[in-house]
Every structure is written in structure tokens, then in C-alpha cells.
Amino acid sequence: MSIKIIRKFLALIIILNFTICTFSQKSNIYADFDKDFKLALELLNKQKYASAQVLFNKIANEYEDAYSDVKTDAEYYSAICAL
């Protein structure tokens, strides 16, 4: 193999490595959702239904897609809190 081919191959590997790293980072939107959703579930388990329902409603309202699993789960748990 020539040195030019090896250099091109290494450059390709480096570029792919950076690309994969940027796609693997979790955005703040999902991190906030996880934090709020976990907190709401914790409140639900502690039988603090009113506080949990407020958080579940907030999470459900942040999603515009009516068929989103996140929205559906938040609405379900909000309804459980209302019982």
C-alpha cells in the first residue's frame, strides 16, 4: 500500500470518529425530559399526586405530536394522579 492510501484511510477514520461522537451526544431536551419524568414518577410513588400531575401535564404539553410515546405516557400518568 502506498503512503497516500494509508493517509486517506486514516483521515477517513478520524472524520468518521468525530461524526459518530457528535451523533451520540444526548441533547438537553431529552435530558430535561428524563429529569422531569423521573421526578414526576418519584412523586407519584411517594403518593404526592397533585405535584406529580403538574409535572406530567407540563411534559405532555411540551410535545406537539399527539402520537408521541412521551406525550401518551405523561397523559396516562396524569390521569392516574387524578384518580
Side-chain angles (χ1 to χ4, degrees):
M1 291 176 108
S2 71
I3 293 182
K4 287 183 180 181
I5 294 174
I6 292 173
R7 285 184 182 169
K8 287 181 182 180
F9 181 72
L10 288 175
L12 179 65
I13 296 290
I14 291 170
I15 291 170
L16 287 176
N17 188 27
F18 285 120
T19 305
I20 290 170
C21 289
T22 54
F23 283 120
S24 66
Q25 291 179 355
K26 200 173 196 180
S27 73
N28 287 335
I29 294 171
Y30 296 116
D32 287 344
F33 158 74
D34 288 343
K35 182 184 72 168
D36 287 345
F37 201 81
K38 286 178 184 177
L39 176 60
L41 284 176
E42 186 178 318
L43 290 170
L44 178 66
N45 289 330
K46 290 181 179 179
Q47 298 179 351
K48 298 186 177 192
Y49 302 114
S51 299
Q53 188 177 26
V54 169
L55 276 176
F56 285 127
N57 287 337
K58 176 186 165 211
I59 293 166
N61 289 334
E62 288 177 358
Y63 287 85
E64 295 176 6
D65 182 13
Y67 300 106
S68 167
D69 289 339
V70 174
K71 184 177 183 84
T72 305
D73 288 347
E75 288 173 344
Y76 170 78
Y77 285 119
S78 176
I80 295 294
C81 291
L83 296 178

